[in-house]
Amino acid sequence: MSVDEMKDVREFRAGAPKPDRARLAEGRDRLSSAAGRGRERRLRADWRLAAVGAAAALTAVAVLASGLVGGGHSGAERTVPATTSTVPGSVKEVLERAASTVERADPPPTPHAGQWVYEKKLSTSPEVWPKSAAAPPEPGPEPQEHWTRYADPRFENGKEGDDRSMRERLRFLDELPDDPAAALKKVRAYYPSGKGDPAPEGEQDVGALSVLFKSQPVPPQALAKLYRALAAVPGVEVTDHLVRDLAGRDALAVGHGGKGQKLRREILIDPHTYQYLGDRLIVVKDYKDTYPGADDTPDRPWKAGDLMFQNALLATGIVDDKGDRP
């Protein structure tokens, strides 16, 4: 598992209570350094705190169309764009349509040890705070390519706790029961909440499921089970209109809605093929991040509609060597 995958595992805990200044210092310095180099930010922290030739070298798996839309995105704090396309049906009806559609697809080839999971994606994360008046506007995100070892022994057999190789995650998905409630129970045990975690159970459920949706390549039956487990999450909602993802594509947005909730993790799904497109973290209530004891760090205000983390999967496949493309 690469640093980027570990960041994905932990992003969904972005709304967790803030640590003290000493624990913030390293992450803040690394964030500033990454921004100065103009590269994608790569943050390393415990996942509970922060919320994949002849037959030659390639074994191709289904590749998602990228279709980047012009206009760009200037950063993680873009307000959610509005659309007029409505989404018919309840969240359970929408996700059952998704499950029954994807489970009819042909399964992808099974990867083997020694191969790599290739991904091409767009990602954004919070900008450096406080903003400098002299700093130029941040450029829009550029597509990034990532290669992750499919069977990485460093992330298997509990060696890194909740960080698991793609092979282990796919084995777990293959063993999920058909019953949605039972599948959700297993997911909760696989990615448990931290002790004393104030986040509602449904919010934690969506975060854990969002990690599993990133597993590649997910067999159709397993993807259908994930959709049905998502529908079983207490308080899960589907936005009543299509949204636009970071790549400018229409998407169904499914997330948890809870009383007093400041942030909502949304899983984004193609409204036609019902394939997974990515996820995002959206502010649903005005609030401020505060940093007690950090006199040099002012409060960070957030407005309802601001987008924090965003991830858009553009293409994926299984290749024989790092650096290969499907």
Side-chain angles (χ1 to χ4, degrees):
M1 181 179 290
S2 69
V3 174
D4 298 284
E5 267 78 34
M6 290 187 285
K7 184 193 73 168
D8 290 340
V9 168
R10 296 165 180 125
E11 274 180 3
F12 79 83
R13 294 307 315 284
K18 298 294 182 295
D20 59 31
R21 183 179 181 182
R23 296 187 67 186
L24 280 169
E26 180 185 2
R28 188 165 60 237
D29 290 344
R30 294 176 70 184
L31 181 61
S32 299
S33 176
R37 294 191 301 270
R39 301 187 312 188
E40 181 180 3
R41 300 167 181 79
R42 299 180 179 187
L43 309 182
R44 176 85 163 119
D46 189 291
W47 92 292
R48 292 189 179 91
L49 290 176
V52 158
L58 306 181
T59 305
V61 182
V63 176
L64 302 176
S66 55
L68 293 178
V69 173
H73 299 261
S74 61
E77 297 176 54
R78 296 283 300 208
T79 299
V80 180
T83 72
T84 57
S85 300
T86 58
V87 176
S90 67
V91 63
K92 292 187 181 298
E93 291 170 334
V94 170
L95 291 174
E96 181 54 39
R97 284 200 299 269
S100 61
T101 298
V102 299
E103 67 185 352
R104 295 195 297 266
D106 294 331
T110 302
H112 58 73
Q115 291 188 305
W116 296 74
V117 177
Y118 166 86
E119 290 181 299
K120 182 178 181 181
K121 61 185 180 180
L122 289 174
S123 298
T124 62
S125 55
E127 298 173 353
V128 175
W129 184 261
K131 295 179 180 178
S132 169
E138 282 207 352
E142 295 292 332
Q144 300 289 326
E145 295 180 298
H146 307 273
W147 287 264
T148 304
R149 190 182 298 276
Y150 168 69
D152 192 331
R154 297 175 300 171
F155 300 99
E156 296 190 338
N157 300 317
K159 292 179 182 177
E160 286 292 328
D162 289 330
D163 293 330
R164 297 181 171 93
S165 73
M166 203 68 79
R167 176 169 65 178
E168 281 199 344
R169 285 157 61 178
L170 290 177
R171 285 175 176 172
F172 171 78
L173 290 174
D174 187 57
E175 295 170 357
L176 280 178
D178 293 328
D179 178 70
L184 184 57
K185 183 177 180 180
K186 286 182 69 74
V187 170
R188 288 172 178 164
Y190 199 63
Y191 286 124
S193 61
K195 185 177 181 180
D197 187 355
E201 185 177 57
E203 187 178 337
Q204 176 73 20
D205 291 341
V206 174
L209 286 165
S210 73
V211 177
L212 292 170
F213 274 107
K214 292 180 174 71
S215 306
Q216 297 293 338
V218 181
Q221 293 294 329
L223 183 56
K225 291 177 183 179
L226 285 179
Y227 284 141
R228 292 184 173 115
L230 180 58
V233 172
V236 73
E237 302 171 341
V238 61
T239 302
D240 62 4
H241 59 271
L242 296 179
V243 304
R244 292 289 175 84
D245 77 349
L246 190 57
R249 302 170 296 192
D250 285 340
L252 299 163
V254 180
H256 174 265
K259 185 177 180 180
Q261 190 170 318
K262 296 181 296 186
L263 305 172
R264 182 172 67 244
R265 166 71 63 182
E266 294 183 336
I267 293 171
L268 304 180
I269 303 167
D270 188 290
H272 307 294
T273 66
Y274 296 106
Q275 293 298 312
Y276 169 78
L277 293 180
D279 67 339
R280 65 185 190 178
L281 195 64
I282 181 173
V283 178
V284 294
K285 180 181 179 181
D286 292 359
Y287 79 102
K288 291 181 180 179
D289 276 331
T290 59
Y291 305 92
D295 297 334
D296 59 343
T297 304
D299 294 349
R300 173 68 176 266
W302 295 98
K303 297 291 185 182
D306 285 347
L307 292 170
M308 286 189 177
F309 299 108
Q310 300 184 77
N311 299 290
L313 181 63
L314 306 179
T316 183
I318 300 298
V319 297
D320 288 339
D321 295 293
K322 185 176 182 179
D324 287 344
R325 296 176 178 85

